[in-house]
Amino acid sequence: MLENNFEKLYLMFRSNYFKRLLEVIGTKETSLSATESFCVEIIYLLDKPKVSEFAAYLNLSIPNANYKINSLVKKGYVVREQSKTDLREQYLCVTEKFLNYYGLNDKMISMLMQGIREEFSPQDVEKLDEMIQRIIAIMRTNAEEQV
């Protein structure tokens, strides 16, 4: 039961995100394709990865990763930031343009949080918050063990 309900919740979040994402993907030269959107979201979630870290995470060759990154840079969603300690290293950073684009889920999450606060007691909301924090910690630990 827990597995099925959690999967339903996850799929609802993802389907809403992709629905809203596809609504704003246009045909302009600076619009993101679905693949580009996925790549820039990964860069954001990895929090300023090196090119090699991005490539390794997606199991891409460095040239293929650079090809995808260059397209995102050209469209203004990512910038390369030179390491101050090792000039051979570059970090990938998302731009304000991406953050505006990424905020697509903000409205849905805000509405969901308002509904949760109206539906549940403050104690239940606090317990839910604690559980979510623990779930995030479990997921991080599992991700680190897979690397």
Side-chain angles (χ1 to χ4, degrees), residues 95-136:
T95 63
E96 191 68 32
K97 184 176 182 178
F98 167 74
L99 294 174
N100 292 336
Y101 187 85
Y102 193 70
L104 297 172
N105 251 0
D106 288 352
K107 185 176 179 182
M108 187 204 89
I109 291 172
S110 177
M111 289 172 51
L112 177 60
M113 293 304 106
Q114 179 182 348
I116 287 172
R117 285 186 175 95
E118 290 171 0
E119 183 74 21
F120 299 100
S121 71
Q123 296 81 11
D124 285 344
V125 172
E126 186 176 331
K127 183 66 176 172
L128 176 61
D129 186 42
E130 290 170 11
M131 291 175 67
I132 290 170
Q133 289 176 41
R134 290 173 59 192
I135 291 167
I136 291 168

Side-chain angles (χ1 to χ4, degrees), residues 1-18:
M1 182 80 143
L2 175 64
E3 288 82 358
N4 289 340
N5 288 331
F6 192 85
E7 184 176 17
K8 284 179 189 175
L9 177 64
Y10 171 77
L11 292 174
M12 288 174 74
F13 273 109
R14 295 309 295 164
S15 65
N16 182 67
Y17 174 73
F18 286 123

Side-chain angles (χ1 to χ4, degrees), residues 59-145:
N59 199 24
L60 299 171
S61 67
I62 297 291
N64 192 1
N66 273 314
Y67 177 80
K68 294 180 183 315
I69 293 163
N70 289 339
S71 176
L72 296 170
V73 168
K74 181 179 177 185
K75 292 181 178 186
Y77 292 95
V78 171
V79 293
R80 294 173 187 260
E81 197 173 273
Q82 196 76 43
S83 170
K84 291 175 176 59
T85 57
D86 185 346
L87 296 179
R88 297 170 295 175
E89 291 182 347
Q90 291 182 335
Y91 296 96
L92 303 173
C93 305
V94 297
T95 63
E96 191 68 32
K97 184 176 182 178
F98 167 74
L99 294 174
N100 292 336
Y101 187 85
Y102 193 70
L104 297 172
N105 251 0
D106 288 352
K107 185 176 179 182
M108 187 204 89
I109 291 172
S110 177
M111 289 172 51
L112 177 60
M113 293 304 106
Q114 179 182 348
I116 287 172
R117 285 186 175 95
E118 290 171 0
E119 183 74 21
F120 299 100
S121 71
Q123 296 81 11
D124 285 344
V125 172
E126 186 176 331
K127 183 66 176 172
L128 176 61
D129 186 42
E130 290 170 11
M131 291 175 67
I132 290 170
Q133 289 176 41
R134 290 173 59 192
I135 291 167
I136 291 168
I138 291 168
M139 291 179 73
R140 284 191 176 133
T141 301
N142 290 341
E144 290 170 3
E145 289 173 0

